[in-house]
Amino acid sequence: TDELASWAERLGNKADQLALLDPLPSPQRVLESLQALPAPASPQAVEPLSGARLVRLAASASTRASVSSRLELYPRGLAAGRALKLAAGAVLSAASLTPEQLQERVRARYPEAEPLPPRPALDALLAEAGLELRWVPGDGVRPGGFSQPTIHVEGLSSETVSQTVAPRGAPGAPTAPPSDGDAAAFDARLRRTAESGGYLVLMATPRHLPRIERALGDRFGATPLSLEAELLREMKEAARQAGADWTVVLEADAASPGTTDWTNLRSLVGLALPKVEERLDSAPSPLLLTWPGLLVRYDRLDLLDRLRDRHTRAGDSGAAWLLVAADEQSELPVLDGKPLPVLSPAQYARVPHAWLEATEGS
């Protein structure tokens, strides 16, 4: 009908406006803006539009807007550098990515953005985006890829653990909470969890993760523990006990899901996880968990489900915080496109930049 066509045109115009905003509006804001436009009654026997269909309709009726995999509206032909920055969470959730995998992750998020260039232009683009990834040449077993700065973990080669590290100061007596309103509320929330127990996923811009880890250690005496390092350590021990060559394990990691090699690798992960959980259970509180990317890769987020349940049970006084990378558009904790297990908004929070600045300055 003319009425429906006019409504679709208004949706398209609004989509164009939203797509040109900087920063991009969150999916929730996009949906609220589109739903605020007066809509005609749905024709009889026609199912009302869901939120996702409404956003896609608006983009289809627009001149220049497109829809991301997270239902953001962005301009078609979005500059490659900006697309890379916006998709930083997906890029940094993996230990290593080939140029093709990196390009595919950004393309999956923003399919109508300007394609990422090949190397060496891709290296320069990563540096401009502030993503601390370095190129690691192939070794004959694994292809070359972009990896995060590495550290040596006892029992593992430096190539198996990717983690940005910074020295951590000794925990000291907490100072007065930051004065900023949001920062003060966040600080109070952390203190309640540290004192009474609970589970909290903390989301932050990737470049701030090392600073936040230090701040949580200094302010609350949080004990950092890399899930990636712990899992790899126990996988290597399980492989040793089974008489399996670690090179074979690395080759299996490069296999496609569903293959025999991948299935065997998943079995090895299953042998390692109980030991990792024992380590988590015995760690002092508050426990600060970092780098959960391998749990996503091996589809073992059930470990976090159990951890969450243990730390939210009545009578359990322990606190567990999970620190994850999230781009500025993320509203829910997601890694590599998979949602992390939380039951309500009470179990996740974005770390306010004002809190970090005030804590470091105190």
Side-chain angles (χ1 to χ4, degrees), residues 18 38 40 54 74 85 100 140 170 196 228 257 302 314 336 342:
L18 293 169
L54 179 64
Y74 67 96
K85 287 182 181 179
E100 295 75 21
S196 304
E228 186 175 80
D302 54 295
D336 203 11
V342 292

Side-chain angles (χ1 to χ4, degrees), residues 84 143 158 216 261 265 331:
L84 183 59
S158 62
L216 291 172
D261 285 345
L265 178 65
E331 296 205 6

Side-chain angles (χ1 to χ4, degrees), residues 68-254:
S68 78
S69 61
R70 294 183 60 251
L71 296 181
E72 302 157 293
L73 288 175
Y74 67 96
R76 296 170 195 161
L78 178 71
R82 189 178 177 205
L84 183 59
K85 287 182 181 179
L86 291 169
V91 170
L92 293 176
S93 64
S96 179
L97 291 171
T98 66
E100 295 75 21
Q101 289 171 331
L102 193 155
Q103 291 162 343
E104 178 56 34
R105 288 198 176 205
V106 176
R107 182 166 57 248
R109 175 76 172 268
Y110 300 106
E112 294 194 61
E114 179 187 6
L116 295 186
R119 297 190 67 226
L122 181 56
D123 303 59
L125 206 62
L126 286 166
E128 291 173 12
L131 302 181
E132 297 181 0
L133 298 175
R134 65 182 181 89
W135 175 253
V136 179
D139 58 8
V141 176
R142 291 176 296 179
F146 290 101
S147 298
Q148 298 170 46
T150 56
I151 58 172
H152 289 275
V153 177
E154 184 180 354
L156 296 173
S157 73
S158 62
E159 295 174 337
T160 60
V161 181
S162 301
Q163 178 171 327
T164 303
V165 232
R168 176 187 152 192
T175 57
S179 57
D180 177 87
D182 289 342
F186 177 75
D187 192 78
R189 186 176 181 183
L190 288 177
R191 185 162 302 287
R192 283 195 304 271
T193 309
E195 294 174 352
S196 304
Y199 175 78
L200 191 59
V201 179
L202 302 175
M203 303 155 55
T205 304
R207 68 177 182 275
H208 291 153
L209 295 181
R211 296 170 58 195
I212 293 170
E213 182 177 332
R214 289 198 305 274
L216 291 172
D218 293 343
R219 187 163 181 77
F220 300 103
T223 304
L225 197 67
S226 167
L227 287 166
E228 186 175 80
E230 293 297 321
L231 179 57
L232 285 168
R233 180 183 290 113
E234 295 302 334
M235 285 175 63
K236 200 160 193 180
E237 176 60 21
R240 186 191 66 78
Q241 292 183 9
D245 189 297
W246 188 246
T247 302
V248 176
V249 176
L250 295 178
E251 292 173 348
D253 183 75

Side-chain angles (χ1 to χ4, degrees), residues 199-346:
Y199 175 78
L200 191 59
V201 179
L202 302 175
M203 303 155 55
T205 304
R207 68 177 182 275
H208 291 153
L209 295 181
R211 296 170 58 195
I212 293 170
E213 182 177 332
R214 289 198 305 274
L216 291 172
D218 293 343
R219 187 163 181 77
F220 300 103
T223 304
L225 197 67
S226 167
L227 287 166
E228 186 175 80
E230 293 297 321
L231 179 57
L232 285 168
R233 180 183 290 113
E234 295 302 334
M235 285 175 63
K236 200 160 193 180
E237 176 60 21
R240 186 191 66 78
Q241 292 183 9
D245 189 297
W246 188 246
T247 302
V248 176
V249 176
L250 295 178
E251 292 173 348
D253 183 75
S256 301
T259 62
T260 300
D261 285 345
W262 183 262
T263 301
N264 291 339
L265 178 65
R266 289 283 308 279
S267 298
L268 184 66
V269 173
L271 293 174
L273 277 179
K275 295 292 186 181
V276 175
E277 290 197 63
E278 288 180 14
R279 174 78 174 92
L280 301 185
D281 287 342
S282 62
S285 177
L287 173 62
L288 175 59
L289 300 174
T290 60
W291 303 105
L294 285 185
L295 297 180
V296 177
R297 176 169 175 76
Y298 298 138
D299 196 22
R300 292 310 304 259
L301 289 176
D302 54 295
L303 182 145
L304 295 181
D305 271 311
R306 294 189 294 273
L307 180 79
R308 177 203 62 211
D309 292 344
R310 282 197 298 272
H311 286 274
T312 53
R313 270 200 304 261
D316 192 327
S317 59
W321 297 331
L322 175 63
L323 182 60
V324 299
D327 58 48
E328 295 179 355
Q329 308 299 319
S330 299
E331 296 205 6
L332 294 173
V334 175
L335 273 184
D336 203 11
K338 295 185 179 180
L340 297 179
V342 292
L343 298 178
S344 73

